[in-house]
């Protein structure tokens, strides 16, 4: 559309943009800086869209037209894309090949990985700088990696101290190790850059981008939900075409009982919060439409829904 197609006519106001606060509560424990969520459709939201939405201050809802493992991987990709500290970093072993590391970097969109032995002890790091001029994809990592000692930080390092180390030594990755030399985390300069670039990003208490995911109903959907929770999803959405039915409410009740994440139920045309059966209410509902049923003739259902309480 262009300005010739749509005209937004403003009314009288004394409000200036710098004083506007668009923070919106999505559910009991999750809020967004801008009131926008992307749809759980396979042509709309996967990891890249969810990352973009969260960085801008909204929330992406991953679609469920994927295998359980693939949808859980999408959650993991979002949670790893930006974090204050990656507590379970992607690693490789000294015996992995350049081909293995290249596939790992492509899968998780990273520029390198710490190298650990079978006991989890940090023995080196391999980055794009190490791999750039190696032509043999079968070359083992231990031949090209940067070996210990590396620039590292102890467990519990502050954000300011970590940033100072990155700047002082002009490195992009800062491994976090314990007293035994085992890798416990990873801080990257990219995370500081992204935090400055996207100050209104939707993040969890650990500094990771938030992400929601859709599930259906039934036993397979419950297994999917458990896998998504294990992958650290922030919100589960029971996503069905017909939200006002027993199976939806039973799934909402089961997820609320067995998980600690927020649960959203219903859809644009129904309101699961009415609970015709005796079940716990969802943490949030998708657009209550009780008012739409009684809207005066000629009023749009969308307009009536908009006037409904959250």
């Amino acid at each position: 559309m262009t300005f010739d197609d749509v005209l937004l006519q403003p009314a009288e106001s004394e409000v200036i943009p710098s004083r506007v606060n668009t923070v919106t509560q999505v559910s009991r424990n999750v809020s967004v800086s801008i009131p926008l969520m992307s749809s759980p459709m396979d042509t709309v939201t996967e990891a890249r869209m969810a990352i973009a939405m969260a960085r801008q201050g909204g929330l992406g809802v991953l679609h469920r037209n994927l295998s359980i493992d693939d949808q859980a991987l999408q959650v993991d990709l979002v949670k790893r894309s930006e974090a204050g500290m990656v507590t379970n970093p992607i690693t490789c072993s000294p015996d992995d090949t350049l081909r293995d590391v290249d596939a790992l970097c492509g899968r998780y969109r990273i520029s390198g990985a710490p190298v650990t032995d079978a006991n989890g002890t940090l023995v080196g790091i391999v980055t794009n700088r190490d791999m750039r001029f190696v032509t043999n994809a079968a070359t083992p990592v231990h031949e090209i990696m940067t070996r210990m000692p590396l620039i590292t930080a102890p467990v519990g390092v502050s954000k300011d101290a970590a940033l100072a180390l990155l700047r002082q030594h002009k490195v992009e990755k800062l491994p976090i190790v314990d007293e035994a030399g085992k890798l416990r985390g990873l801080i990257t300069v990219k995370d500081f850059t992204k935090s400055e670039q996207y100050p209104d990003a939707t993040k969890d208490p650990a500094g990771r981008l938030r992400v929601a995911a859709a599930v259906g109903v039934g036993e397979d959907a419950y297994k999917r939900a458990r896998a998504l929770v294990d992958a650290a999803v922030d919100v589960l959405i029971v996503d069905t075409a017909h939200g006002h039915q027993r199976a939806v409410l039973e799934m909402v009740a089961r997820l609320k009982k067995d998980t600690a994440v927020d649960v959203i139920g219903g859809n644009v045309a129904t309101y699961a919060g009415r609970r015709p059966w005796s079940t716990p209410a969802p943490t949030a509902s998708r657009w209550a439409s009780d008012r739409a049923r009684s809207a005066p003739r000629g009023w749009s259902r969308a307009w009536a829904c908009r006037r409904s309480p959250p």
Side-chain angles (χ1 to χ4, degrees):
M1 290 186 173
T2 70
F3 287 111
D4 293 332
D5 301 316
V6 177
L7 173 64
L8 301 179
Q9 182 178 354
E12 180 182 356
S13 174
E14 297 180 358
V15 177
I16 58 177
S18 62
R19 295 175 57 189
V20 173
N21 182 355
T22 58
V23 173
T24 305
Q25 205 71 24
V26 173
S27 59
R28 183 172 297 139
N29 300 303
V30 177
S31 62
V32 291
S33 297
I34 57 174
L36 293 174
M37 296 172 66
S38 62
S39 171
M41 297 171 62
D42 53 13
T43 55
V44 178
T45 309
E46 290 190 352
R48 292 183 65 184
M49 181 64 167
I51 290 169
M53 289 294 297
R55 283 177 176 166
Q56 296 295 339
L59 187 68
V61 185
L62 299 171
H63 71 86
R64 59 187 176 92
N65 293 338
L66 295 163
S67 69
I68 293 176
D69 290 341
D70 285 345
Q71 192 180 19
L73 175 62
Q74 294 283 309
V75 172
D76 190 51
L77 288 173
V78 178
K79 303 305 286 188
R80 289 181 183 276
S81 65
E82 184 178 332
M85 182 185 78
V86 180
T87 55
N88 184 27
I90 299 298
T91 63
C92 62
S93 79
D95 297 325
D96 285 340
T97 65
L98 176 59
R99 182 182 295 106
D100 297 328
V101 177
D102 190 52
L104 195 69
C105 291
R107 182 179 187 183
Y108 289 98
R109 294 180 175 272
I110 55 179
S111 59
V115 185
T116 58
D117 62 17
N119 297 319
T121 301
L122 181 67
V123 297
I125 191 169
V126 59
T127 66
N128 282 339
R129 183 180 59 183
D130 302 309
M131 299 184 287
R132 184 169 293 121
F133 300 108
V134 181
T135 57
N136 184 3
T139 303
V141 168
H142 65 80
E143 291 187 8
I144 62 173
M145 71 181 186
T146 303
R147 296 177 177 273
M148 289 289 283
L150 300 170
I151 303 302
T152 62
V155 175
V157 64
S158 68
K159 180 178 179 180
D160 291 340
L163 182 58
L165 282 171
L166 291 167
R167 285 175 173 169
Q168 177 185 351
H169 298 281
K170 298 180 181 180
V171 293
E172 295 184 350
K173 301 180 186 298
L174 182 66
I176 309 300
V177 297
D178 61 17
E179 295 179 354
K182 295 185 182 298
L183 182 67
R184 298 302 183 190
L186 183 70
I187 295 176
T188 69
V189 69
K190 179 189 72 171
D191 295 327
F192 291 101
T193 302
K194 294 299 183 183
S195 294
E196 295 175 356
Q197 187 176 0
Y198 303 105
D200 297 325
T202 306
K203 295 184 176 181
D204 63 20
R208 302 173 298 180
L209 296 179
R210 286 197 184 274
V211 60
V215 299
V217 297
E219 193 60 34
D220 286 345
Y222 179 76
K223 294 178 181 178
R224 179 182 296 271
R226 295 300 309 186
L228 296 171
V229 171
D230 291 341
V233 74
D234 296 285
V235 181
L236 289 172
I237 295 184
V238 182
D239 177 54
T240 62
H242 184 192
H244 194 169
Q245 57 140 313
R246 181 182 298 275
V248 172
L249 298 181
E250 289 176 348
M251 178 58 70
V252 168
R254 189 176 182 185
L255 293 177
K256 284 181 62 65
K257 177 183 177 182
D258 297 343
T259 70
V261 303
D262 284 2
V263 180
I264 296 178
N267 58 27
V268 73
T270 56
Y271 180 32
R274 295 181 65 195
R275 304 200 309 283
W277 300 281
S278 179
T279 60
T283 311
S285 60
R286 297 176 67 186
W287 304 290
S289 66
D290 292 346
R291 185 176 291 238
R293 297 188 183 89
S294 58
R297 185 179 300 276
W299 288 15
S300 71
R301 292 175 62 87
W303 188 89
C305 290
R306 180 169 60 85
R307 291 175 54 89
S308 300

